[in-house]
Amino acid sequence: RHIQGWLQDTPPDDNAKARFGNPAFRLWHARLVQRSRSIVKSILVCHKKYASAEQYDDEVLEQCSNDGFHAASLENYNNTSEKRSDTDGEDDSDEEMIITELVTYLHDSFGHPTRLDYGTGHESSFFVFLYSLCMIGCFGSTTDKEPPKPARLKAITLSITTQYLKVTRGIQTDYMLEPAGSHGVWGLDDYHCLPFYFGACQLMANGQNDNDDEYKPNAIHNSSLLEQMAETYMYFGCILYIKNLKKGVPFFESSPMLNDISHLPSWKKVSEGLLRLYEGEVLDK
């Protein structure tokens, strides 16, 4: 929540003349670097405090959210969050190693402060950050080496990705970040890939691929449906965002790949194709 508010504290430089990349983004990113250890440590403190919980009730989620909000508000690492989670000896050393690795992923998750760009590599860094949190048990106990249950992973993926998009779309538009490695109109959009895949998986898992014509892949051409369901289905929300961003441009011209994908018969086919695309165009590069 608090990170979204940083845009108000570091507004774009109105005197910047470049077509892409407002230099005020460097101030935003410097704040991220400055406060990232506090943010990560608040996550680990919350994990330790509620490590035995099978389910996180509203009270737990609210407490952890407030702790994270407080951590994102801190100017440096010498804060009360550190005092609350002091450990001794080897445990303290191990925790510092974990924090150092996690903040590195977090720094790379919101764009490059020198190049003033953002792309799927930055997006991937954020999900490596989440994967690392998952591996140390922050999304459910991993003492038995079993991954969190699918229902929990689904909720985590959709909720965190939604909030992540709110931040990244804000910095992309306000600071006019250049698309990093973009394929232009032959990419999914200028910046993101995984939210489309997660959105297709969500629709597939909800059984909206064979039994209801209204929610088949070609439903993205139904403007009223997109407006109605954008908050419910991530894929529809991503499509609506593109259409609102590129108003007046026919969708088949602004997003020919997504337009072609809409002709596939099911969300299963869409998700399989998007996964191959991500593996080939991002992970294998």
Side-chain angles (χ1 to χ4, degrees):
R1 290 179 296 150
H2 192 74
I3 293 178
Q4 293 179 41
W6 291 357
L7 279 169
Q8 298 176 5
D9 298 334
T10 54
D13 181 357
D14 293 335
N15 295 319
K17 303 298 183 182
R19 178 188 174 194
F20 283 115
N22 192 289
F25 174 65
R26 296 190 177 107
L27 299 176
W28 187 98
H29 196 275
R31 179 175 288 189
L32 171 68
V33 172
Q34 184 184 54
R35 303 184 184 184
S36 57
R37 293 187 71 85
S38 294
I39 294 170
V40 169
K41 191 140 193 178
S42 75
I43 296 173
L44 298 183
V45 168
C46 184
H47 166 55
K48 287 182 178 180
K49 188 174 181 180
Y50 302 106
S52 61
E54 287 296 324
Q55 297 292 333
Y56 302 131
D57 58 28
D58 291 343
E59 183 177 351
V60 170
L61 293 175
E62 183 66 22
Q63 180 62 53
C64 291
S65 176
N66 289 336
D67 288 347
F69 185 92
H70 177 67
S73 307
L74 298 172
E75 290 297 333
N76 54 56
Y77 187 51
N78 296 318
N79 54 62
T80 56
S81 176
E82 183 179 21
K83 294 178 182 178
R84 291 202 330 253
S85 59
D86 279 345
T87 54
D88 297 316
E90 185 177 345
D91 288 344
D92 184 60
S93 177
D94 289 344
E95 182 177 272
E96 285 303 309
M97 290 176 61
I98 291 172
I99 292 173
T100 298
E101 180 173 347
L102 288 173
V103 297
T104 301
Y105 300 138
L106 195 60
H107 294 169
D108 290 339
S109 297
F110 296 91
H112 198 286
T114 302
R115 297 193 306 264
L116 301 177
D117 63 9
Y118 177 97
T120 51
H122 302 108
E123 176 185 79
S124 296
S125 184
F126 181 71
F127 287 98
V128 171
F129 172 73
L130 295 184
Y131 175 75
S132 300
L133 290 176
C134 182
M135 289 301 292
I136 61 176
C138 289
F139 299 147
S141 176
T142 57
T143 54
D144 55 0
K145 303 303 180 182
E146 290 291 328
K149 295 179 180 179
R152 176 173 287 189
L153 284 179
K154 174 185 176 182
I156 289 168
T157 300
L158 295 175
S159 60
I160 293 181
T161 302
T162 297
Q163 296 305 312
Y164 176 65
L165 285 173
K166 289 180 180 179
V167 176
T168 56
R169 286 170 177 170
I171 61 178
Q172 288 156 15
T173 54
D174 282 26
Y175 299 126
M176 299 180 294
L177 298 185
E178 183 174 8
S182 172
H183 292 280
V185 296
W186 292 106
L188 294 180
D189 72 3
D190 289 333
Y191 300 103
H192 292 286
C193 182
L194 284 175
F196 293 92
Y197 170 66
F198 295 147
C201 290
Q202 178 192 19
L203 283 156
M204 181 181 70
N206 286 5
Q208 306 283 11
N209 60 321
D210 292 319
N211 301 323
D212 194 335
D213 288 339
E214 187 177 28
Y215 290 101
K216 285 199 171 183
N218 62 7
I220 67 168
H221 302 295
N222 184 334
S223 297
S224 61
L225 178 67
L226 287 183
E227 292 281 356
Q228 180 183 354
M229 305 306 295
E231 295 294 325
T232 302
Y233 293 113
M234 183 172 290
Y235 193 93
F236 291 162
C238 289
I239 298 294
L240 181 63
Y241 179 77
I242 292 174
K243 290 189 173 186
N244 287 338
L245 200 64
K246 301 181 179 180
K247 283 184 177 179
V249 182
F251 189 69
F252 70 87
E253 290 184 6
S254 69
S255 307
M257 182 176 288
L258 288 168
N259 186 69
D260 289 346
I261 289 172
S262 72
H263 299 304
L264 292 174
S266 70
W267 291 110
K268 183 175 186 295
K269 292 290 186 182
V270 173
S271 63
E272 290 173 347
L274 290 174
L275 182 58
R276 287 195 299 270
L277 176 72
Y278 181 71
E279 291 174 339
E281 296 297 328
V282 180
L283 296 184
D284 290 345
K285 295 298 184 182

